Amino acid sequence: MKNEYLLLTPGPLSTSQSVKAVMMQDFCTWDDDYNVDVVQKIRTELGRLASNNAEYTVTLMQGSGTASVESAIGSLIPQTGKLLVVNNGAYGARIAEITEYLGIESVVLEFGETESPSLAVIERTLQEEEGITHVAVVHCETTTGMLNPVAEIALLAKRFGKVMILDAMSSFGGIPFDLADWNIDVMISSSNKCIQGVPGFGFVIAKNAIMASSKGIARSLSLDLVSQWETMEKSRGKWRFTSPTHVVRAFSAALDELAQEGGIEARFQRYQQNQRLLVQGMRELGFETLLADGLHSPIITSFYSPKASNYDFKRFYDALKQEGFVIYPGKVSNADCFRIGNIGEIYREDIERLLSAIAKVKFW
């Protein structure tokens, strides 16, 4: 059954009919048909997509993407550790909040939501702040759609001997990069983003040496990343607790579709073309982008709300939904804006139809 609307959000997002179809069957988790042929295949393929370097290992974790972020932070930073959080949006702030809940010492560098993190400030903090062991940053901050300078931040972390943790929730699979080339030690992403699966699990790709040296650190039973990794390693894809089988099978199909499309580079080109067409068309309709073009990601774009007195986001949202499109409200504290994503099973013709729909329902 076809969806009534396209999800133009940063996730969950619109998926293909073939990804949906594989979830219409139940699966056993006790045999090799699932654990080896599906789970281990996923782990191998994610490792290949993440880096040409074999020093990384992949662990799948039940729950939301945030659960995997919390799992990594709570399982890989020791009691004596101290995390430097680079924060310029809601998801950097969420990492800082996680450290508070877990009782992990942290230093939070607060940058504006429309401001690219200052490398000079980060460098100075690493020089002057004693005890920092880890650095965390969000790659694509979907609060605004900004792409942060991850490679440069990670190079600083390496220079000062820190472990680099990357939240690539909304970028992995849609933007080409190699973890080893970027000096990333730990990366977290999710099933329902650029790989174009559905929500239900996240994954952590980390250096083998870090995983092997982190046993016993975890502050949670269910989010013990290292125990999950050990179980998957020793039992060839077995999960410690109930596996989200339907979501996992859908993700396996989504990985196949990524390969059929031409891999991450081809998907990046499609997303980038979608975003550029969207921005051009919205500007022609009189909308302004929140960020300068040089800060945009190909994932999601924030637009200022019209200044007309009769503009109302809910009315605009509902009208677009009737036309077959779901957009996202703004999340910026000091700007009235809304967001439109273009990842997922979205193509040029969909963006063109969206622009026609916006021109139709514009009422100010």
Side-chain angles (χ1 to χ4, degrees):
M1 190 170 99
K2 192 172 181 180
N3 266 40
E4 295 179 5
Y5 48 75
L6 287 176
L7 290 170
L8 300 174
T9 73
L13 37 73
S14 291
T15 55
S16 69
Q17 291 298 316
S18 50
V19 165
K20 295 180 180 73
V22 299
M23 293 188 288
M24 301 302 291
Q25 181 181 343
D26 299 321
F27 305 98
C28 173
T29 63
W30 280 97
D31 52 36
D32 287 350
D33 289 348
Y34 179 72
N35 294 318
V36 175
D37 296 348
V38 180
V39 178
Q40 290 292 74
K41 170 204 160 189
I42 288 172
R43 295 180 71 210
T44 299
E45 181 63 10
L46 286 176
R48 186 189 68 79
L49 291 173
S51 181
N52 291 320
N53 194 309
E55 66 180 327
Y56 294 92
T57 186
V58 178
T59 309
L60 313 184
M61 180 64 68
Q62 298 96 323
S64 65
T66 298
S68 286
V69 174
E70 185 165 343
S71 174
I73 290 172
S75 300
L76 303 179
I77 300 178
Q79 296 293 338
T80 56
K82 185 175 182 180
L83 179 64
L84 173 63
V85 182
V86 179
N87 173 28
N88 66 335
Y91 300 96
R94 188 173 296 175
I95 292 174
E97 187 177 11
I98 287 170
T99 66
E100 292 179 10
Y101 268 81
L102 297 180
I104 295 171
E105 188 178 2
S106 65
V107 176
V108 183
L109 290 181
E110 303 279 4
F111 298 97
E113 293 161 323
T114 58
E115 178 185 357
S116 183
S118 166
L119 297 175
V121 171
I122 296 170
E123 181 177 15
R124 185 167 64 250
T125 304
L126 289 171
Q127 285 175 331
E128 298 176 355
E129 186 75 34
E130 294 183 0
I132 291 173
T133 56
H134 296 67
V135 178
V137 66
V138 176
H139 188 195
C140 178
E141 182 51 84
T142 54
T143 303
T144 58
M146 185 181 297
L147 209 58
N148 284 326
V150 169
E152 293 85 351
I153 294 170
L155 191 60
L156 284 173
K158 181 181 180 183
R159 205 175 97 206
F160 286 92
K162 316 304 181 186
V163 175
M164 184 68 200
I165 301 173
L166 176 64
D167 177 338
M169 206 64 60
S170 297
S171 62
F172 180 71
I175 298 176
F177 59 90
D178 186 295
L179 296 185
D181 290 348
W182 278 17
N183 300 297
I184 305 299
D185 299 298
V186 180
M187 189 209 79
I188 309 111
S189 193
S190 176
S191 61
N192 63 302
K193 300 291 186 174
C194 294
I195 303 294
Q196 298 184 183
V198 298
F201 74 91
F203 49 91
V204 180
I205 304 178
K207 289 183 177 178
N208 275 288
I210 289 175
M211 296 294 288
S213 65
S214 298
K215 188 175 178 64
I217 291 176
R219 296 157 172 85
S220 164
L221 171 66
S222 62
L223 296 181
D224 187 338
L225 181 69
V226 176
S227 290
Q228 182 93 327
W229 171 65
E230 288 179 333
T231 300
M232 288 187 168
E233 288 284 291
K234 293 174 183 176
S235 301
R236 301 197 306 165
K238 190 79 174 66
W239 301 58
R240 287 186 307 149
F241 307 123
T242 303
S243 170
T245 53
H246 299 76
V247 175
V248 172
R249 288 296 297 259
F251 190 76
S252 180
L255 281 171
D256 291 340
E257 292 187 358
L258 175 62
Q260 291 161 12
E261 186 171 352
I264 293 176
E265 179 61 41
R267 185 154 292 178
F268 168 68
Q269 293 299 327
R270 172 163 64 88
Y271 288 171
Q272 190 171 62
Q273 289 165 9
N274 285 348
Q275 195 269 343
R276 288 173 176 171
L277 178 62
L278 172 67
V279 169
Q280 177 186 339
M282 290 293 282
R283 285 173 174 163
E284 289 173 358
L285 289 172
F287 292 90
E288 298 178 19
T289 58
L290 177 71
L291 301 178
D293 287 354
L295 297 176
H296 283 164
S297 72
I299 307 301
I300 191 168
T301 308
S302 292
F303 296 93
Y304 282 108
S305 296
K307 295 179 180 178
S309 60
N310 62 334
Y311 169 77
D312 176 76
F313 174 76
K314 183 65 165 58
R315 183 179 165 195
F316 183 45
Y317 173 93
D318 289 341
L320 278 179
K321 191 173 182 180
Q322 288 296 315
E323 295 293 322
F325 303 96
V326 168
I327 62 173
Y328 234 42
K331 206 168 187 176
V332 179
S333 57
N334 60 354
D336 184 6
C337 59
F338 61 88
R339 294 174 288 170
I340 300 179
N342 50 252
I343 62 175
E345 193 72 357
I346 305 294
Y347 297 87
R348 180 184 181 89
E349 53 268 29
D350 299 309
I351 300 298
E352 290 172 341
R353 289 193 303 110
L354 167 69
L355 292 168
S356 296
I358 290 175
K360 176 183 176 182
V361 306
K362 221 172 79 152
F363 49 81
W364 50 86

